[in-house]
Structure formats: C-alpha cells, structure tokens
Amino acid sequence: ILLLNSWFMSDEGAQFEPSALGTKAFWDASYEREAANFASGGDVGEVWFGAAVQRELVAWLCPPSGVGGERRRRVLDIGCGNGMLLVELAKRGGFSSLIGLDYSAAAIALANQVAASELANQVAASEQCKISFHQFDILTDDPTRFTADIILDKGTFDAISLMPRRTPDSPLQQYKRSLLQMLAHSPHSRFVITSCNWTEEELTSHFTPELVFAGRIERRKFAFGGSVGQTYTTVIFSLPS
C-alpha cells in the first residue's frame, strides 16, 4: 500500500503533498467502519502493510533468545490502529508490558475489542504481560506520560508526513522530539520504524544524530529504472553510546 501520489524535496529530505491520509477525520471514519465490521462479523480489519510485515516484526522482537538476550521489556506501538501487532506479541508472551497509542478514539475502542477476542483463549501467554491501549496524539500530548524500551512505528510517521506543514515547525520534527522523550535511556532501547514512503537513507538522516542506526529488517529488493528498492523499509535505531 503506497500512501503518496506526489512528493518534493526539502531540507528534511522527501516531503509529500498533504493528503486525507494525514487527517484525523480519515482515520476516525476508517476505524469506525472497521469496528462495525468487527462487531458484525469478527473481521479485525486491515493489518497495515500486510501480515507478512507484521510477522517479520514479531519474529525480530521474539527470537529464541529475545531482543538483546532478554524479552522482559516494555514495548510501545505509536499509531497502533486495531492493535493486532501487540496482540501477536501478547500471544508470544514474555514482555513486561505492551502499550498501544493512537490519536483516534475509534481505533482504541476497536483495539480493546480485538484484544479481548483474540486473547480470550490465550490466558497463559497474555498473563505474562500487560496489554493496554490509550488515546494519545504524539504531536500534541505530553510524551512523558509513556516510556518504553522498544518503540514501534508501522505507518504513523508516513501518515504524519502527509499532514500540512506547521509554522515554524514541522510535524516530523515534533514527532522526533516526542519520541526521544518516550524512549527509555538504556543501551538496550530501540526504535523500530517501518515505512513505505521513506528510504533507509532518508529515515537515518531524519533521526540522527539524536539516534544512531542499529540495523534493518532485510526484505526482497526489486530494480526499476536503474534504481534498487523495496516496498517497505524497516530501520532500527538505538540511543548513542
């Protein structure tokens, strides 16, 4: 799923023309529809960027030895939508807490319903961690309300890229400032961002030097017009040592 139709270059790298996908009204309406579908037929709704990307993130977070040799960590998902990424982590168990944040109240209501349904028969796994969902806008709310060792973003930075620019500051800069206050100050802390709009180089340019490149999730690449790329990019950042 590509979120953009047109873009231009600025001192922040790629910048995108404003789109409905960058508005709260769009996401409220989308999650209200998905909540109605879930209530009537049990359809959890769209897994943003697809099930394969979600499986890759879960696999990275849940290797046999765990992230950094230990999985008892706090995980926070910025823009959690229907909450399915955290639900899959809850099924695996081993995290101290799983926190989903979204600025859409409809998304939070749906995530709570989906989690209750999906984890109803996963008592043993879900009891190993606390999963919760909260309405929260990373651009306007107090970022010190939530702190986590691992912060995930799967499409939220992309959507913010499609908002109208603010003066004198851009939403992307405010996002970074809030993120830095939410990421726990630990050598094991990680920020894991997945994008379909931004390349690895552009993401690295935006989040450094406050964060440092710590890795990527490898995916199949394709060549087009002499350039090599991939549909989705996942970059992992850590705090400077």
Side-chain angles (χ1 to χ4, degrees), residues 10-229:
S10 77
D11 55 356
E12 287 186 342
Q15 295 292 309
F16 307 101
E17 294 293 343
S19 163
L21 288 161
T23 67
K24 186 172 181 293
F26 174 89
W27 295 108
D28 282 341
S30 295
Y31 287 117
E32 286 168 4
R33 286 194 301 271
E34 292 195 356
N37 292 337
F38 180 75
S40 62
D43 182 359
V44 301
E46 183 173 3
V47 174
W48 202 239
F49 295 165
V53 170
Q54 179 170 279
R55 285 194 299 269
E56 291 166 347
L57 289 169
V58 171
W60 184 85
L61 287 158
C62 301
S65 60
V67 177
E70 180 185 0
R71 279 170 53 193
R72 297 295 302 179
R73 301 191 188 283
R74 299 164 295 172
V75 178
L76 187 153
D77 187 10
I78 299 174
C80 63
N82 62 12
M84 278 303 299
L85 177 54
L86 296 185
V87 166
E88 291 302 319
L89 293 177
K91 290 177 180 178
R92 299 289 189 97
F95 299 94
S96 59
S97 66
L98 300 168
I99 302 169
L101 306 179
D102 204 292
Y103 72 170
S104 170
I108 296 304
L110 174 60
N112 279 312
Q113 294 166 14
V114 168
S117 174
E118 290 285 317
L119 299 176
N121 297 320
Q122 299 284 336
V123 176
S126 62
E127 281 185 345
Q128 297 179 36
C129 62
K130 178 182 178 182
I131 184 169
S132 61
F133 300 97
H134 309 270
Q135 185 176 9
F136 178 85
D137 188 338
I138 192 172
L139 299 182
T140 59
D141 291 337
D142 179 7
T144 62
R145 287 175 54 194
F146 300 99
T147 304
D149 307 294
I150 301 170
I151 296 182
L152 310 174
D153 180 319
K154 184 162 63 73
T156 299
F157 190 74
D158 285 359
I160 290 173
S161 303
L162 302 177
M163 294 176 61
R165 290 178 61 85
R166 297 179 180 180
T167 302
D169 209 1
S170 80
L172 302 183
Q173 292 298 329
Q174 180 58 49
Y175 176 102
K176 181 167 67 171
R177 280 196 298 272
S178 295
L179 169 73
L180 292 170
Q181 294 184 70
M182 299 167 76
L183 189 62
H185 291 277
S186 162
H188 299 296
S189 293
R190 296 291 184 271
F191 170 52
V192 184
I193 180 169
T194 302
S195 171
C196 70
N197 284 352
W198 299 81
T199 66
E200 178 181 306
E201 291 74 17
E202 289 166 342
L203 290 170
T204 301
S205 176
H206 180 75
F207 288 104
T208 58
E210 294 88 351
L211 298 174
V212 297
F213 177 83
R216 66 179 68 85
I217 293 180
E218 297 286 353
R219 295 191 176 91
R220 182 175 61 86
K221 294 180 172 60
F222 59 88
F224 180 79
S227 299
V228 178

